[in-house]
Amino acid sequence: MSMAVHVGAVGVARPRIEGRAKVTGAARYAADEPIPDLAYGALVLATVARGRVRDIDVASVRDMPGVLGVIDHTNAPRLNPEAGNFFGPDGGLRLLQDDLIPHAGRPIALVVAETPEQARAAAQALPVTYDEQPHDTRLFAGHPAGRPALTLFDAPADIGDVDAELAASAVVVDERYGTPEENCSAMEPHSATAWWEGDRLEAVDSNQGPFQIAFTLATLFHLPPERVRVRVDHIGGGFGGKTMCGPQLILAAMAATRFGRPVRVTLTRAEVFLATAQRPATDQRIRIGADADGRLRAIHHDATYEISPLAEYIEGCTELTKTLYAAPAIRTALTVVPLDILPPYSMRAPGAAPGSFALESAMDELAERVGLDPLELRLRNEPGVGPVSGLPFSSRNLVACLREGARRFGWASRDHRPRMRRAGPLLIGTGLAATSFSTGAFPSTATITAEPDGTFTVAIAAADLGTGARTALTAIAADALAVGTDRIRLRISDSAIGPAWGAGGSRGTASWAWAITEAAAKIRGPERPMTATVDTTQLLGDLASRERHAFSAVFAEVGVDPATGEVRVRRLLGMFAVGRVINPLMARSQVIGGMIGGLSMALHEEGVRDPVTGRHVNADFAGYHIAAHADVPDIEADFVPDDEPGVPWGIKGVGEIGNVGTAAAIANAVWHATGVRQRHLPIRLDRVLES
Amino acid sequence: MKEFAYRRVTEIRDALAAGHGGARYLGGGTNLVDLMKCGVETPTQLVDVRFLPLGEIRETPDGGLAIGATTTNSDLAAHPEVRRRYPALSQAVLAGASGQLRNMATVGGNLMQRTRCAYFADPSQACNKRDPGSGCAAIRGAHHNHAVLGWSPSCVATHASDMAVALAAFDAVVRYETLDGGAEIPLERFYPPVGDTPERETELPAGALITEVVLPGSAVAPRSRYRKVRERASYAFATVSVAAHLEVSRGTVRSVRIALGGVASRPWRARAAESFLLDGPATADRFRAAAETELAAAAPLPGNGYKVPLARNLIAAVLADLAEPY
Ligand SMILES: Cc1cc2nc3c(=O)[nH]c(=O)nc-3n(C[C@H](O)[C@H](O)[C@H](O)COP(=O)(O)OP(=O)(O)OC[C@H]3O[C@@H](n4cnc5c(N)ncnc54)[C@H](O)[C@@H]3O)c2cc1C
Ligand code: SF4
């Protein structure tokens, strides 16, 4: 093997490998794959929040043009109830198994026809009657159905004597913060095409982790894993909404089974909202006690959120509370309230995004009451070790983020009193938030093969959501093999490659890079094999126990028109410590995207339910607002030097840290502008308007 | 979506001959086609009017402008005479939708667009406007962005057009043709009161084709403004909007026109506020008092009370802006 002089690719800013294909329209997404003899499925969703299907009048649509048939609970293939997700068995996956309606928007039938239009027409015409039952879709802390959340992660903590420390505190903040239901809202609606090849179920799907999803699909259909293959192609964003085995895939597989031909199911925008995944609403109480000089004595964070009785789920709101600040007493708890809602699932910085809004708003309130610069308050409470675990941090560069961010933002000249700055009719304010997001890696398998032409095929069942995974992994493989990127042929997006973690939890790149790096080491090792496969399960188990987190500091400036309540962000700056940056160009655009997501969370995003029917009424992009270009101000994002010892390439992952913190920074800036605290998101104009 | 026929016409009489029964005129299709997709509109035929000779903006003898019904929203907003003589109209159109939509949308279609009430667009919900007699889901449901003025227990929806609000402030007139001949209706009377027939949205006779919208000549319209308050900086419907012009001479209001958007089933011409102000002092207090006079009739629902102070503040702010010397 020739090892020519090699210039490293890791750390170099490079545009996306598939960028040209995307802007010219050549890149294919799941719904674009040409497949012969395709039939199309259209969903029918329940229009009541709870009850039973009384009747589905299939006969009345059977003769509509092109209709091949209807699948509902009376004739659907039986699914395995053991199938689940990261959190355990998931009743959300068991579609069309009975006449029960657990939430509005639950798929209750699939109409299959020769064309998508014919399928949709018949689905719209299909008469369904219901026996409605009383429903409950309203979350609040103290709800009688509340119970402790699963403790798989973000388990409850209780160190020190919170009540005694609070009693001894010179200043106490005790407030409630609320965040609404939000939807992942990826640009590309979910689409799947499924067909049988002999006794193997094949599918092309839009998802974030083909291996895990193939495994779930196999379980659901009582098949051995090797008889199910799921591929993904280019993906138009996921934001967590494509981490689970989606209704499009389950229903396409059912229809392919029943009709004996390939079937494509592409969700409408409304179906993405109503039938895929959402962030649960949260109702959080925070108590913080401090001495007069701002040194914390206690933090108590009680977070309540909603789930569906169909599946467990953890919205880890209190993770940051156990990470960010030193305090002799810290208590956290997560309470779930099962309601008649779509099962929540991980969305953009799950837990951390709503949790940091609560914690970092409360810290700002504390700074106000103590009379301290909010920046100084954070610096004063910097912990040496994990505040709850006592474990050392693998690396912790929050202070660098805060100081460098403050310098660039011009924080030093801030008058910390509220309502002091004006620009014409606008009130101007600034705010900041400190953040963290837990990092790590999950077991993955990679195979590298040295090809006769001098190239290397690098195969791993990764998925590129549009963030640039292909480009990053190509650079990593090139450096790990000490060759140029032109000699790397990356194969991803296929469950048949073998087990691998998906693109989620900010752990995609770290998990995949690890497996690729180890496989490359074997190829370059003394035996010089032509092909090497590595599974990182064992290696990960050997990793030292540490507090592992990415950190950041976010600074925001807002203008508020008190006469209309309109809040517009004028400046946003984020400084990030995310380990080693693999590709500064893409990492920057990813954290900027995250900050825009945080801005949307602060000001716009809200799933609105009808108070009478419990149904969502804004399941589209005209009603569910996400920041438009005009809402996005000058954004600056940069990285402080950082590393992650023990992890190949020092990767921490940039997936979600960009999102966290922005909402609190903006809310704190709105307080600074107006003097009024905003403890409920989104900060709608009717909440700000002064009359 | 139901199957339908499509027909392109180049003569007005062909359009009128085809535009009956289950047929619908098709402008840019930005509203009609969406409603067809969700099953709210089920035309048997679309009569595409974009190739009619109605795409011009011309001068009228009294110094006004006549805007052809198929003029796109983008062309209307960019027209130099519209910008110079009726700036609030140009501002209103530009404040609506997005660049892509405005390139497609026509003036006729914009006037005829249906409400954005979410229940209206969902055939599984009760809605008197879509399905007379079925009830109104919004009154007890989610009505954060619904009407505070002129609504009835049958329907509390707003009209969504920004353009129409500016047209109302300028006393525009809508001209149309039918098989029996042409006629015109002042914009202020174009949208009837809701009453118990929310499904009847305009005074146009069945099958009528809007041909143009006429803006009367006006010496004061150049000093006009449109301001739209919305939940994000662009690409959102108005929560409340105001189109106004104001002429002040030696501290006294000599001419004033105010129309509100986002508060009623039609652009709301604030006649009470106008007469309160006319010939009186142009002061901030008076502007606010005028707004309060107009809004005395407001009857908000539990979920949209904020619109009343918002409309008041907005009227006062826009008038104060216009009163500044320039
Ligand atoms: C995402 C989105 C955001 C939007 N935001 C805004 C906004 O912020 N502000 C705003 O004001 N609008 C907004 N709109 C609405 C937009 O302005 C209207 O859709 C557009 O003006 C309709 O014009 P059109 O030519 O496309 O009408 P079409 O969709 O073609 O037709 C609408 C109706 O008008 C009838 N019609 C068309 N031409 C004639 C005619 N000559 N005579 C009689 N009847 C006719 C049609 O039969 C149909 O009933 C938005 C629309 C969308 C989709
Ligand atoms: S407000 Fe009007 S449009 Fe909306 S549901 Fe009620 S009747 Fe229908």
Side-chain angles (χ1 to χ4, degrees):
Chain A
M1 187 181 314
S2 73
M3 293 286 175
V5 179
H6 168 65
V7 182
V10 168
V12 178
R14 286 167 191 258
R16 275 176 188 70
I17 290 172
E18 72 281 9
R20 187 184 166 82
K22 281 185 173 165
V23 297
T24 56
R28 276 194 186 133
Y29 294 78
D32 302 330
E33 287 297 331
I35 287 171
D37 194 34
L38 200 51
Y40 296 84
L43 275 65
V44 178
L45 304 186
T47 59
V48 302
R50 186 150 179 266
R52 301 188 103 94
V53 175
R54 189 187 302 156
D55 182 56
I56 301 180
D57 184 6
V58 172
S60 73
V61 302
R62 202 173 271 138
D63 295 332
M64 285 181 70
V67 171
L68 296 168
V70 176
I71 306 180
D72 64 19
H73 64 279
T74 63
N75 62 354
R78 295 297 101 186
L79 300 174
N80 181 350
E82 280 159 26
N85 59 38
F86 191 78
F87 302 95
D90 181 355
L93 304 174
R94 289 200 296 280
L95 300 177
L96 313 188
Q97 301 299 292
D98 52 40
D99 61 351
L100 294 177
I101 297 167
H103 64 87
R106 174 77 161 180
I108 52 171
L110 184 79
V111 180
V112 182
E114 295 289 348
T115 72
E117 292 80 7
Q118 290 167 335
R120 182 71 47 207
Q124 281 179 345
L126 186 68
V128 180
T129 51
Y130 303 94
D131 289 318
E132 255 189 278
Q133 291 163 0
H135 64 267
D136 184 2
T137 55
R138 210 171 67 81
L139 175 84
F140 54 92
H143 191 289
R147 59 165 171 81
L150 217 63
T151 56
L152 203 55
F153 58 82
D154 200 13
D158 198 357
I159 60 154
D161 186 338
V162 164
D163 297 313
E165 294 289 348
L166 283 171
S169 294
V171 185
V172 174
V173 171
D174 180 355
E175 298 291 350
R176 263 170 85 175
Y177 303 88
T179 65
E181 290 177 342
E182 294 161 3
N183 194 275
C184 303
S185 302
M187 186 98 79
E188 178 207 19
H190 303 49
S191 177
T193 308
W195 67 97
W196 285 90
E197 257 177 47
D199 66 356
R200 200 174 64 221
L201 180 60
E202 290 265 344
V204 175
D205 183 38
S206 177
N207 70 52
Q208 297 181 222
F211 181 83
Q212 287 140 334
I213 280 162
F215 185 84
T216 306
L217 194 63
T219 313
L220 271 172
F221 285 84
H222 307 276
L223 295 166
E226 61 278 9
R227 278 177 52 202
V228 174
R229 181 182 182 200
V230 173
R231 283 177 292 146
V232 300
D233 211 321
H234 292 287
I235 302 165
F239 308 110
K242 293 173 182 165
T243 40
M244 73 302 178
C245 188
Q248 76 284 358
L249 179 57
I250 298 167
L251 295 174
M254 280 185 175
T257 306
R258 187 158 175 87
F259 296 101
R261 59 191 269 199
V263 177
R264 173 165 297 163
V265 176
T266 303
L267 303 188
T268 63
R269 180 58 60 195
E271 289 161 359
V272 171
F273 273 93
L274 301 174
T276 61
Q278 63 178 353
R279 191 201 297 284
T282 73
D283 183 347
Q284 307 175 56
R285 182 179 179 201
I286 297 220
R287 295 194 293 161
I288 304 187
D291 290 333
D293 65 354
R295 238 166 272 278
L296 299 187
R297 296 188 76 114
I299 317 177
H300 181 190
H301 189 173
D302 249 333
T304 301
Y305 62 90
E306 54 185 2
I307 61 167
S308 152
L310 295 175
E312 290 293 336
Y313 169 70
I314 300 171
E315 183 76 11
C317 297
T318 61
E319 178 85 43
L320 275 77
T321 309
K322 293 179 275 193
T323 308
L324 278 180
Y325 304 114
I330 296 176
R331 189 191 300 159
T332 70
L334 296 180
T335 300
V336 295
V337 179
L339 296 174
D340 303 313
I341 59 164
L342 172 71
Y345 211 66
S346 311
M347 165 173 162
R348 297 197 274 278
S356 85
F357 166 65
L359 177 66
E360 287 300 281
S361 294
M363 284 295 281
D364 208 64
E365 303 209 36
L366 181 68
E368 174 198 353
R369 292 182 207 182
V370 175
L372 200 60
D373 175 355
L375 173 67
E376 181 54 34
L377 176 67
R378 268 101 181 161
L379 297 174
R380 210 162 271 187
N381 290 289
E382 174 73 4
V385 293
V388 168
S389 69
L391 287 172
F393 287 94
S394 57
S395 64
R396 181 177 166 111
N397 280 308
L398 176 59
V399 169
C401 292
L402 283 164
R403 288 200 194 282
E404 180 58 14
R407 189 186 68 76
R408 294 192 192 185
F409 193 76
W411 186 263
S413 61
R414 181 186 194 249
D415 180 339
H416 301 304
R417 293 168 301 169
R419 222 179 163 100
M420 298 302 289
R421 270 177 77 196
R422 281 178 182 271
L426 300 183
L427 304 171
I428 310 296
T430 54
L432 70 77
T435 74
S436 68
F437 196 85
S438 97
T439 64
F442 279 102
S444 297
T445 312
T447 298
I448 301 183
T449 305
E451 305 292 352
D453 64 357
T455 64
F456 295 86
T457 299
V458 178
I460 184 156
D464 189 336
L465 302 181
T467 51
R470 277 184 190 81
T471 314
L473 296 184
T474 299
I476 284 163
D479 280 14
L481 289 161
V483 300
T485 51
D486 55 332
R487 285 172 61 196
I488 303 299
R489 296 185 190 184
L490 189 70
R491 260 193 72 211
I492 59 171
S493 315
D494 185 344
S495 68
I497 294 171
W501 178 246
S506 294
R507 282 157 166 78
T509 309
S511 305
W512 305 323
W514 206 316
I516 290 172
T517 306
E518 294 298 332
K522 273 204 181 163
I523 292 277
R524 298 183 69 202
E527 288 162 34
R528 300 263 154 159
M530 295 309 282
T531 184
T533 298
V534 165
D535 176 347
T536 58
T537 309
Q538 179 66 42
L539 289 164
L540 291 175
D542 294 345
L543 194 61
S545 242
R546 291 282 181 278
E547 289 275 351
R548 297 183 187 275
H549 309 270
F551 293 91
S552 90
V554 185
F555 297 77
E557 179 179 298
V558 301
V560 180
D561 186 336
T564 66
E566 290 165 297
V567 176
R568 304 285 187 249
V569 178
R570 292 153 61 102
R571 276 197 300 152
L572 215 46
L573 163 72
M575 288 304 301
F576 295 88
V578 294
R580 194 152 161 221
V581 175
I582 302 300
N583 182 328
L585 188 64
M586 292 187 317
R588 181 175 174 277
S589 67
Q590 198 166 352
V591 293
I592 281 181
M595 289 163 76
I596 295 170
L599 186 161
S600 272
M601 180 184 184
L603 301 182
H604 308 300
E605 292 184 61
E606 176 175 32
V608 177
R609 279 184 195 273
D610 181 295
V612 179
T613 65
R615 299 172 61 188
H616 275 128
V617 295
N618 64 338
D620 62 65
F621 282 161
Y624 183 95
H625 284 176
I626 294 174
H629 281 292
D631 293 291
V632 176
D634 267 351
I635 296 194
E636 194 188 335
D638 209 345
F639 303 94
V640 300
D642 195 33
D643 192 17
E644 180 69 351
V647 175
W649 309 101
I651 296 171
K652 278 185 177 174
V654 292
E656 285 152 301
I657 184 75
N659 202 289
V660 197
T662 308
I666 290 172
N668 294 339
V670 171
W671 168 79
H672 188 232
T674 63
V676 179
R677 287 287 168 192
Q678 295 293 331
R679 300 190 184 97
H680 292 272
L681 297 183
I683 306 173
R684 291 193 317 249
L685 59 88
D686 61 294
R687 289 175 164 156
V688 180
L689 172 70
E690 297 178 6
S691 47
Chain B
M1 190 190 298
K2 245 180 57 179
E3 288 196 6
F4 59 88
Y6 169 86
R7 176 150 175 226
R8 180 180 289 182
V9 289
T10 52
E11 302 283 343
I12 289 175
R13 61 172 182 278
D14 292 343
L16 294 172
H20 278 278
R24 277 273 195 287
Y25 298 124
L26 177 73
T30 60
N31 186 225
L32 180 55
V33 175
D34 274 2
L35 291 173
M36 288 166 67
K37 285 189 200 160
C38 60
V40 172
E41 294 269 16
T42 52
T44 51
Q45 174 169 243
L46 293 184
V47 181
D48 190 339
V49 300
R50 281 173 305 168
F51 299 86
L52 295 175
L54 297 175
E56 303 278 289
I57 298 179
R58 59 181 177 82
E59 297 281 342
T60 60
D62 78 337
L65 292 174
I67 302 155
T70 63
T71 307
T72 66
N73 285 193
S74 295
D75 286 347
L76 171 62
H79 195 279
E81 287 308 304
V82 173
R83 293 172 50 144
R84 193 173 67 79
R85 280 142 73 176
Y86 305 92
L89 176 57
S90 178
Q91 291 162 9
V93 173
L94 288 179
S98 67
Q100 294 93 324
L101 285 159
R102 294 193 297 268
N103 286 344
M104 291 300 291
T106 63
V107 166
N110 191 317
L111 286 178
M112 299 295 287
Q113 66 172 292
R114 314 295 303 271
T115 183
R116 307 306 291 202
C117 172
Y119 301 101
F120 172 74
D122 178 351
S124 73
Q125 306 269 9
C127 170
N128 287 324
K129 191 187 271 298
R130 171 174 31 77
D131 183 8
S134 63
C136 170
I139 289 182
R140 290 202 304 140
H143 50 244
H144 186 78
N145 207 16
H146 283 63
V148 293
L149 284 163
W151 57 277
S152 85
S154 315
C155 176
V156 67
T158 60
H159 195 269
S161 170
D162 290 298
M163 179 189 81
V165 179
L167 291 177
F170 292 135
D171 291 327
V173 171
V174 180
R175 290 206 176 129
Y176 63 89
E177 288 291 333
T178 68
L179 286 172
D180 304 327
E184 58 181 44
I185 317 173
L187 192 97
E188 213 188 334
R189 286 197 283 109
F190 186 74
Y191 304 101
V194 191
D196 52 9
T197 53
E199 73 282 7
R200 230 189 107 245
E201 290 179 350
T202 74
E203 298 288 358
L204 283 184
L209 174 77
I210 299 174
T211 52
E212 57 186 12
V213 175
V214 183
L215 291 162
S218 162
V220 287
R223 194 155 168 69
S224 65
R225 184 152 312 167
Y226 186 74
R227 186 152 163 220
K228 174 176 178 178
V229 174
R230 47 189 149 175
E231 294 281 4
R232 62 180 166 193
S234 134
Y235 208 17
F237 290 92
T239 46
V240 175
S241 67
V242 173
H245 85 217
L246 181 72
E247 194 201 354
V248 179
S249 147
R250 271 181 252 116
T252 300
V253 174
R254 291 297 171 214
S255 168
V256 59
R257 298 206 193 142
I258 305 165
L260 303 176
V263 294
S265 65
R266 58 181 193 274
W268 189 267
R269 185 70 184 266
R271 293 280 182 190
E274 291 175 9
S275 39
F276 179 94
L277 287 170
L278 199 62
D279 298 323
T283 62
D285 286 350
R286 294 278 298 174
F287 296 153
R288 194 176 158 105
E292 272 162 1
T293 305
E294 187 67 43
L295 293 161
L301 288 161
N304 66 357
Y306 73 97
K307 282 195 174 187
V308 179
L310 173 55
R312 181 201 60 210
N313 291 354
L314 195 62
I315 294 170
V318 170
L319 293 177
D321 266 5
L322 287 167
E324 301 253 306
Y326 63 111

